């Protein structure tokens, strides 16, 4: 097994029998989508599990993000302050909603948006702040809310990495005006493809319902212009099955993360992000920062691990603001820290079914030089 390839993640799955048994009723009902029984059940269960007042299930995280932005009704061309240190989906959702991203730098200690730099970026065109709980690291939600209140801005969190995370005893999705989760196959909880928005305003539930179901409100009645963002029943059942095992999977990832932490704490030039106090983490990702003192550069370490069959990811490099489709198109803001993190970060393999000895193999490859 020493040479078996190791990937950065591997989807969790219920047993084959468990899923097959759970989807059997669909052959009788023939109700495969359009807000069926399992869609309703999963919405309910997730509202409880995530500890959020309202939740709307969606076909994927990106659609949840776009539709949530659209439900807010911002004027065309309005500015949204966001982070470039994220998956490209965050920036795409803003631009595809005919809004302008204004990139804000991030903090070295956890990679989340630097709230001390927000106020300088606010103009009379600013409509919203769209931060990301990157790797499940919790943003400074209190300070972001204070600034948003002061300037009457909406706050939408990209919480795609933060499933199950709590802060000060509350579900992470209960902060801000809305939060968006991804249930993509590679995330810590998945429905194959899927996502959700959480929020407290019941009016938003109705708006999102229209947006995800063509605005249809009756057999002959369409009241709003909407897209198709519904989750189907097969995906909802996968979610219900996975939800049964989600705590156990988190415990497994936690043990692996702690082994990594112990093994890397003393390695000169390897830095880890800091966890915020009063946070329950989900251990979904294990990012490391390869600093000057380490004998290899980040890219050299990436290559060296790859030669040993260990596939890590340069998440998130390049910054979304530096991608070909966005480069030099938006306000030129100093992004020194984000750029530095993008040059130094490497995400190590961690997933539910990963063996302890696999983590040891990764550690060994980082140690020897
Ligand atoms: C995965 C992800 C998304 C998009 O979610 P999908 O379910 O893949 O559409 C958005 N933002 C971030 C930060 C993500 O990691």
């Amino acid at each position: 097994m020493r040479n078996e390839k190791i990937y950065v993640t591997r989807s969790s799955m219920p047993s084959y029998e468990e899923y097959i048994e759970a989807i059997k009723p669909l052959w009788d009902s023939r109700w495969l989508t359009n807000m069926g029984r399992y869609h309703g059940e999963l919405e309910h269960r997730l509202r409880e599990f995530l500890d959020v007042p309202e939740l709307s299930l969606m076909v994927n995280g990106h659609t949840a993000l776009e539709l949530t932005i659209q439900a807010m009704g911002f004027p065309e061309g309005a500015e949204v302050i966001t982070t470039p240190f994220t998956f490209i989906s965050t920036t795409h959702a803003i631009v595809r909603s005919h809004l302008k991203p204004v990139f804000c730098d991030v903090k070295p200690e956890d990679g989340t948006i630097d709230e001390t730099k927000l106020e300088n970026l606010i103009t009379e065109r600013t409509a919203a702040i769209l931060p990301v709980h990157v790797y499940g690291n919790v943003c400074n939600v209190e300070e972001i809310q204070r600034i948003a209140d002061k300037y009457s801005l909406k706050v939408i969190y990209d919480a795609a990495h933060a499933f199950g995370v709590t802060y000060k005893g509350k579900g992470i999705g209960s902060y801000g005006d809305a939060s968006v989760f991804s249930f993509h196959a590679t995330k810590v909880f998945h429905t194959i493809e899927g996502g959700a928005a959480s929020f407290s305003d019941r009016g938003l539930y109705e708006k999102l319902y229209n947006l995800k179901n063509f605005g249809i409100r009756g057999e002959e009645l369409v009241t709003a212009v909407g897209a198709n963002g519904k989750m189907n029943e097969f995906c909802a059942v996968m979610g219900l099955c996975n939800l049964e095992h989600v705590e156990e999977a988190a415990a497994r990832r936690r043990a692996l993360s702690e082994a990594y932490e112990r093994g890397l704490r003393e390695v000169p030039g390897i830095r880890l992000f800091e966890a915020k106090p009063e946070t329950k983490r989900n251990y979904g990702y294990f990012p490391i920062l390869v600093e000057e003192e380490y004998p290899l550069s980040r890219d050299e370490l990436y290559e060296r691990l790859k030669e040993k069959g260990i596939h890590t990811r340069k998440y998130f490099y390049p910054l979304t603001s530096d991608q070909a489709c966005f480069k030099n198109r938006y306000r030129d803001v100093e992004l020194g820290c984000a750029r530095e993190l993008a040059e130094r970060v490497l995400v190590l393999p961690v997933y539910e079914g990963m063996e302890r000895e696999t983590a040891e193999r990764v550690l060994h490859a980082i140690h020897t030089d």
Side-chain angles (χ1 to χ4, degrees), residues 60-62 86-87 89-90 132 158 160-161 182-184 187 194 285:
N60 57 55
H62 182 81
T86 181
F87 180 52
S89 163
T90 318
V132 180
D158 182 336
H161 296 176
S182 163
F183 308 146
H184 183 258
K187 301 297 205 288
Y285 298 88

Side-chain angles (χ1 to χ4, degrees), residues 103-244:
F103 297 106
C104 179
D105 208 357
V106 299
K107 293 176 291 186
E109 65 270 21
D110 61 11
T112 64
I113 204 161
D114 188 342
E115 66 280 357
T116 66
K117 295 182 178 164
L118 282 174
E119 267 187 287
N120 269 340
L121 298 173
I122 295 172
T123 70
E124 60 283 15
R125 291 176 303 281
T126 309
I129 307 173
L130 205 165
V132 180
H133 300 300
V134 65
Y135 316 117
N137 294 348
V138 174
C139 297
N140 187 338
V141 291
E142 289 105 343
E143 184 59 13
I144 290 169
Q145 195 58 54
R146 191 192 65 77
I147 294 165
D149 289 344
K150 183 170 164 191
Y151 296 92
S152 305
L153 307 176
K154 297 284 188 195
V155 182
I156 303 169
Y157 286 104
D158 182 336
H161 296 176
F163 185 89
V165 169
T166 69
Y167 176 61
K168 294 198 168 162
K170 278 172 61 181
I172 198 63
S174 59
Y175 293 91
D177 293 283
S179 298
V180 169
F181 295 91
S182 163
F183 308 146
H184 183 258
T186 56
K187 301 297 205 288
V188 295
F189 164 79
H190 78 87
T191 58
I192 309 171
E193 291 267 8
S198 67
F199 40 85
S200 52
D201 172 12
R202 184 70 198 177
L204 193 52
Y205 186 89
E206 298 304 324
K207 282 183 190 155
L208 285 172
Y209 188 96
N210 284 338
L211 282 166
K212 76 177 178 186
N213 191 32
F214 307 106
I216 296 172
R217 299 311 297 226
E219 236 173 89
E220 299 176 1
L221 181 66
V222 175
T223 61
V225 182
N228 182 358
K230 305 184 299 291
M231 178 182 286
N232 72 60
E233 292 289 274
F234 287 82
C235 289
V237 172
M238 180 60 88
L240 288 165
C241 290
N242 280 334
L243 204 52
E244 295 295 318

Side-chain angles (χ1 to χ4, degrees), residues 33-96:
T33 184
N34 289 1
M35 276 61 101
R37 169 182 162 195
Y38 298 109
H39 178 283
E41 246 178 79
L42 185 61
E43 236 178 39
H44 176 77
R45 293 279 312 278
L46 285 174
R47 206 162 54 226
E48 287 183 344
F49 187 86
L50 293 173
D51 182 30
V52 293
E54 300 284 350
L55 183 130
S56 182
L57 265 188
M58 297 278 175
V59 67
N60 57 55
H62 182 81
T63 300
L65 198 50
E66 278 197 13
L67 298 188
T68 301
I69 292 170
Q70 287 159 25
M72 300 274 174
F74 303 127
E76 192 167 330
E79 294 172 358
V80 177
I81 304 176
T82 188
T83 163
F85 189 60
T86 181
F87 180 52
I88 197 71
S89 163
T90 318
T91 311
H92 280 339
I94 296 168
V95 174
R96 284 176 44 79

